[in-house]
Amino acid sequence: MTSRRGFLVAVADTGRGVVGTRRPARWLLLPYVICLLVVVPAAVPGPASAGGGVSATRLTGLFDQYGDTSGTWTGADRTTSVRLPDGRLLWLFSDTFLGPVAPDGSRPRTAPFVHNSAIVQHGDQLRETRHGGTAENPGPLVPAPAGEFFWIGDAQVAGDTLQVLVNRYRRTGASPLDHALLGTALATFALPALTPTGVRELPLDARIAWGSTLLREGGHTYVYGTEAAGEAKFAHVARVRGDDLGDAWEFWTGDGWVTDQRASARVLSGVGTAYGVQRIDGRYVLVTHENNLVFSADLVAYTAGSPTGPFGGPDYLHRATETAAGHLVYDADLHPDLARPGKLLLSYNVNNVDDAVTYADAGIYRPRFVEVDWPRPRPDRADLPPAPPALTAQPGGAGTAELSWPPVRADGEPRYQVHRRDVTAGQTHFVRIGEPSAEPRFSADFLVNRHEYEFRVTTVGRHGESQPSPTARMTATVPPPPPPTGLQAEPGRSGDVALSWHPIPFVQLYRVRQRDLTTGVQTVVGTFTGTHATVEFLRHGRTYEFSVVAVGGGGDSLPAPPVLATAVVTPPAAPSGLAAVARPDGTVHLTWRSLGPEVSYRVYRRDLDRGGQAYGQPALEAGSGHVARFLEHGHDYEFTVSAVNSGGEGQRATPVRVRARLAPPDTAPHGLRAEAGPGRAELTWQPVTPDGWHRIYRRDLTAGHRDFTEEPVPTQGNRAVVAGLRNGHEYEFAVAALNPAGAGPRSAPVRVTPQLPTPTRLEATAGGNGDARLSWRSAGAGLAYRVQLRDVTAGESWRTDPVPVLDTRHTAVLLTRGHRYEFRIVATDGTTDGPPSEVVAAQVR
């Protein structure tokens, strides 16, 4: 639970607050706003309610049983439901605790935490928890850019796509309650597999968190949002034509629709970040947790004749009993698809400002469901008692409003209910404050300095509540509270310091500050209700200075006299659940149970087939997983892991052993090509793995070879030269990827015929002594040449000079004078002759 959850200012709590600069669980704490994919099944038996719809008792029990037994989800907030086309029901949540519940019903301090998740319901069973990342290192279902996170809004099905509005936030300070809205995005999932298909930022500013609820009506989809403005929250309305939330939006101005979102008007105060709107019998019913009054236990309804209001009310639907135990309720929503006839089906969320309570009882942080009859019965006005005829409001000396009115004569013993509206904050409706009083007087406290208030009072009789009295106005004068006293700091053993101080009348909000005396850095730790706070994730051995400021309706107090504490961090325990799995790529995947934030890990290994040498330099990991690489195929390895925090390195986990196994490659190289050369072939291909090793295969087709022969030496990369081939013979080649486990499938073969080169630029010049001088260009190093000639005049056939020529010059002698001779040259490697050169002629003299 967080500060977006529909609260205006934080009020009373006498329990412990817990905070840390990076502690995820504190995102679940009560707010202060004064100023994808892992699937695990878990069947939950039991029939749905008869007569259509599901009872609220059944749904509350369904989530309690799933949270206790699924092993994957222990609790979350927001609670949006959407019916999928195949009949399944998807439950979407914001801040979520994952993992199992401990045998004593508590939530482990190491429980994974993500900012959004989902559960898929099949029939009457909650079966699948869905989130991003992996089971060992889970992430949010809808991931956000680094340093940011998404909270879930409402969702709908459009064609074969699930559309989910999400609000994007970032941290603005050290306290988990310090965050800022950055905008609204549209996350989409392909149906029916619920495969994430993207997150698209919508062209909307950060004034309004859109997606509080969705309503399809009259060819439009209405989108409701919440604006947090000072001490109040206000509902806004936008719409798109049809059912695609990615289309153009229009915004309600109070008079009509425009495309400029800056003109969006406030239509109702006192809504939560999540609320529901449903059309019933031609009227539009808006249900929300009552946020015109901070920390109210009430769920209320407002009604209107159109989706944009004006809304009248409130009708008080339900008072949450959980607040009597010191818990907080927030985020009301409607679930029309599940409601039984004649009833509204509401959900709301429960939490506690003390993390210790939320961890000790996993059942607290789960949705509750309530059914109320609708429409609400209306008493006969004739049976109602008369209203007080007058009301006065005077400022009290302690920043209160002192109200009084004439007593009312009525049957029985009438009581009086006071209603208040903060005019300065822009509240649109009166809200009940306090419990009904038997006396015609009331002291209204927790006012804000210089705010103008309106008060009314009603008479509560046996048959209902009267009409309101005349309105009384008063501007509050509230002095700043005195500084807190009795501040104490008690160091723990895990880098935590427990702070406590004495309560101050009419103050239920305190801001804690700290200063690191080693670095001099000062920070606001956070804002807390109650008189306890635990500051966590402090550095071992460092001394910190702490102070507390009281925050009241008249502003901030002076700081309490500071106290000092030196943090102590005990080295963490050995990680449990260490497991090692050999992968076909030759790596080993290690996992272990996380020990929570602010803990890193050292991973040790040794090769038992190399004499079992001592563990080498450890690998460092921030999370609870590691991939060991560069292992030798078939070797046995031993691994262990230790955890490290600012207090040092803890004990190592019980070692695990595993044999590294590398499967041969399963993919053949492609694109094999061969270029012929003299007595050789140059091969090139597209490798499966860059710089991987390969085996070359060949066969001599001219020699009649049927089987391939592998080259004795493998090659690395994507190129090889095969030498020692017979020129003029046709060869066939193939290539296969190779690793220590063997060769993979062969590529498609290619054919090539090596040839000796042809000499060029042959010239012949007749001498004067029955000879002819020949010259030509070299055909390459290491080659010899044979001279071929014939006496054309005598009709002679070609004959080859028996002596090879090692140079590129030759003189043919003993030729017949007056005869015409033709000459040509062939290159030779001593075994095979290449193709002849062009023919040249000379007339011998």
Side-chain angles (χ1 to χ4, degrees):
M1 179 171 63
T2 60
S3 62
R4 68 182 182 95
R5 300 295 197 232
F7 300 103
L8 308 181
V9 289
V11 230
D13 176 66
T14 57
R16 253 170 105 233
V18 182
V19 71
T21 58
R22 291 175 293 278
R23 179 184 178 85
R26 280 294 296 162
W27 290 108
L28 308 177
L29 289 188
L30 180 74
Y32 157 63
V33 191
I34 194 167
C35 318
L36 294 264
L37 201 46
V38 175
V39 178
V40 183
V44 181
S49 297
V54 186
S55 74
T57 301
R58 164 64 181 160
L59 283 171
T60 300
L62 200 69
F63 280 96
D64 275 340
Q65 186 171 357
Y66 187 77
D68 288 340
T69 63
S70 70
T72 62
W73 181 97
T74 67
D77 63 7
R78 180 56 172 97
T79 318
T80 290
S81 64
V82 58
R83 181 71 67 182
L84 302 181
D86 58 9
R88 293 175 299 163
L89 193 67
L90 184 70
W91 297 92
L92 290 159
F93 301 96
S94 290
D95 291 341
T96 304
F97 277 118
L98 301 173
V101 172
D104 63 356
S106 66
R107 177 178 288 117
R109 284 280 179 174
T110 57
F113 174 87
V114 296
H115 283 298
N116 51 77
S117 68
I119 295 177
V120 182
Q121 180 175 340
H122 298 248
D124 63 353
Q125 295 183 340
L126 302 177
R127 288 189 178 175
E128 305 162 10
T129 299
R130 298 207 173 204
H131 56 77
T134 64
E136 297 81 13
N137 290 292
L141 180 67
V142 183
E148 301 174 359
F149 55 92
F150 283 120
W151 277 326
I152 294 293
D154 207 354
Q156 67 171 15
V157 173
D160 58 357
T161 298
L162 174 70
Q163 297 184 329
V164 184
L165 287 171
V166 293
N167 302 128
R168 182 166 57 92
Y169 290 85
R170 65 173 173 83
R171 297 287 301 277
T172 59
S175 168
L177 305 180
D178 296 332
H179 54 269
L181 175 67
L182 301 179
T184 300
L186 182 63
T188 54
F189 298 80
L191 297 173
L194 289 170
T195 304
T197 54
V199 181
R200 169 189 170 190
E201 193 73 21
L202 296 176
L204 303 168
D205 60 31
R207 181 169 65 105
I208 301 165
W210 292 102
S212 301
T213 192
L214 298 172
L215 174 70
R216 287 187 180 175
E217 179 70 26
H220 288 87
T221 299
Y222 290 85
V223 184
Y224 292 80
T226 301
E227 174 195 3
E231 301 171 7
K233 287 182 180 288
F234 298 92
H236 287 252
V237 188
R239 71 179 185 182
V240 295
R241 189 176 300 277
D243 60 5
D244 185 358
L245 297 175
D247 285 347
W249 287 35
E250 296 178 314
F251 305 89
W252 178 249
T253 67
D255 296 316
W257 297 95
V258 298
T259 57
D260 185 357
Q261 61 183 308
R262 294 172 297 180
S264 179
R266 298 168 176 176
V267 298
L268 181 68
S269 72
V271 296
T273 302
Y275 52 90
V277 179
Q278 181 178 347
R279 183 181 180 184
I280 303 175
D281 297 332
R283 299 283 293 173
Y284 297 86
V285 183
L286 186 154
V287 172
T288 182
H289 172 249
E290 177 56 80
N291 274 287
N292 284 310
L293 184 66
V294 180
F295 293 174
S296 171
D298 292 321
L299 306 182
V300 297
Y302 296 88
T303 58
S306 77
T308 58
F311 288 93
D315 280 307
Y316 286 80
L317 305 178
H318 176 73
R319 172 157 287 192
T321 59
E322 291 84 0
T323 59
H327 305 317
L328 306 170
V329 299
Y330 59 105
D331 271 6
D333 207 346
L334 285 168
H335 304 275
D337 286 346
L338 301 174
R340 297 193 291 181
K343 294 182 181 294
L344 294 176
L345 179 63
L346 292 66
S347 67
Y348 62 94
N349 297 119
V350 180
N351 205 348
N352 194 289
V353 293
D354 186 352
D355 260 1
V357 176
T358 306
Y359 276 101
D361 183 355
I364 291 175
Y365 189 58
R366 291 173 187 165
R368 269 64 162 177
F369 293 85
V370 172
E371 292 173 288
V372 295
D373 294 332
W374 192 268
R376 305 293 284 169
R378 304 292 181 186
D380 190 328
R381 284 197 175 189
D383 296 332
L384 298 179
L391 174 66
T392 61
Q394 300 293 330
T400 61
E402 301 302 327
L403 308 176
S404 62
W405 56 91
V408 172
R409 293 175 179 265
D411 292 338
E413 298 181 357
R415 293 173 299 157
Y416 305 97
Q417 178 67 62
V418 175
H419 304 255
R420 186 186 75 191
R421 184 169 78 94
D422 187 334
V423 178
T424 304
Q427 290 181 357
T428 58
H429 292 77
F430 283 85
V431 60
R432 293 176 181 173
I433 59 172
E435 296 296 328
S437 168
E439 301 295 328
R441 65 189 64 88
F442 187 84
S443 181
D445 48 24
F446 297 107
L447 306 179
V448 178
N449 191 40
R450 297 183 180 178
H451 276 219
E452 183 179 14
Y453 291 90
E454 289 184 341
F455 296 93
R456 300 192 308 198
V457 63
T458 57
T459 306
V460 180
R462 290 179 298 177
H463 300 289
E465 190 173 358
S466 74
Q467 293 296 306
S469 71
T471 299
R473 285 190 171 227
M474 192 203 78
T475 299
T477 301
V478 184
T485 60
L487 178 61
Q488 295 183 352
E490 183 66 31
R493 303 290 298 172
S494 301
D496 57 313
V497 170
L499 303 175
S500 63
W501 54 92
H502 296 158
I504 299 175
F506 306 115
V507 172
Q508 296 168 331
L509 193 68
Y510 300 88
R511 187 174 298 116
V512 176
R513 298 173 179 172
Q514 77 177 37
R515 183 164 68 98
D516 185 337
L517 298 186
T518 301
T519 64
V521 175
Q522 301 185 54
T523 58
V524 175
V525 175
T527 305
F528 301 89
T529 60
T531 58
H532 295 79
T534 299
V535 185
E536 297 189 313
F537 307 122
L538 304 175
R539 302 291 297 179
H540 177 70
R542 290 190 181 180
T543 300
Y544 295 84
E545 180 185 85
F546 298 96
S547 186
V548 179
V549 170
V551 181
D556 290 1
S557 73
L558 294 173
V563 296
L564 301 179
T566 300
V568 176
V569 181
T570 303
S576 61
L578 178 60
V581 177
R583 289 178 165 178
D585 61 358
T587 63
V588 168
H589 186 208
L590 299 170
T591 58
W592 56 89
R593 294 189 183 95
S594 171
L595 292 176
E598 299 298 310
V599 176
S600 60
Y601 302 91
R602 294 178 181 175
V603 183
Y604 297 87
R605 81 180 186 195
R606 59 178 175 175
D607 186 339
L608 300 179
D609 286 338
R610 291 190 176 275
Q613 75 274 26
Y615 291 117
Q617 188 73 17
L620 305 180
E621 290 290 351
S624 56
H626 173 74
V627 177
R629 306 180 187 277
F630 309 113
L631 307 176
E632 294 194 48
H633 173 66
H635 281 215
D636 287 323
Y637 289 86
E638 183 178 85
F639 295 91
T640 186
V641 179
S642 66
V644 181
N645 60 20
S646 65
E649 181 177 8
Q651 296 293 315
R652 296 177 184 177
T654 302
V656 294
R657 295 187 178 188
V658 64
R659 177 168 295 176
R661 291 287 189 184
L662 187 64
D666 58 2
T667 304
H670 63 279
L672 178 62
R673 301 181 62 181
E675 295 290 338
R680 60 188 176 89
E682 183 175 357
L683 307 177
T684 58
W685 58 88
Q686 295 295 325
V688 175
T689 302
D691 297 324
W693 288 90
H694 297 82
R695 180 72 72 187
I696 308 298
Y697 301 87
R698 74 173 177 186
R699 61 180 176 180
D700 187 336
L701 298 177
T702 302
H705 295 169
R706 292 187 176 183
D707 298 325
F708 281 94
T709 301
E710 66 180 34
E711 294 296 312
V713 179
T715 187
Q716 186 179 19
N718 65 341
R719 183 182 303 271
V721 175
V722 182
L725 305 180
R726 299 184 65 181
N727 292 305
H729 280 220
E730 185 179 30
Y731 289 86
E732 191 170 69
F733 291 92
V735 63
L738 180 69
N739 65 26
R746 298 174 187 174
S747 68
V750 295
R751 294 184 178 186
V752 67
T753 302
Q755 292 283 6
L756 288 169
T758 302
T760 59
R761 295 192 180 182
L762 176 62
E763 295 180 357
T765 303
N769 299 311
D771 59 353
R773 300 184 181 91
L774 306 176
S775 65
W776 57 91
R777 175 175 287 180
S778 172
L783 296 177
Y785 304 92
R786 294 187 184 278
V787 178
Q788 297 179 346
L789 71 161
R790 65 179 177 181
D791 186 337
V792 177
T793 303
E796 188 177 59
S797 299
W798 287 101
R799 57 188 172 89
T800 301
D801 193 304
V803 179
V805 178
L806 301 180
D807 199 359
T808 57
R809 293 180 177 83
H810 177 71
T811 300
V813 297
L814 302 176
L815 305 179
T816 304
R817 294 175 183 267
H819 280 213
R820 176 181 174 83
Y821 283 84
E822 289 182 342
F823 301 91
R824 64 188 186 189
I825 307 296
V826 296
T828 182
D829 59 6
T831 301
T832 307
D833 294 344
S837 68
E838 71 275 16
V839 176
V840 297
Q843 189 75 26
V844 178
R845 300 194 300 274

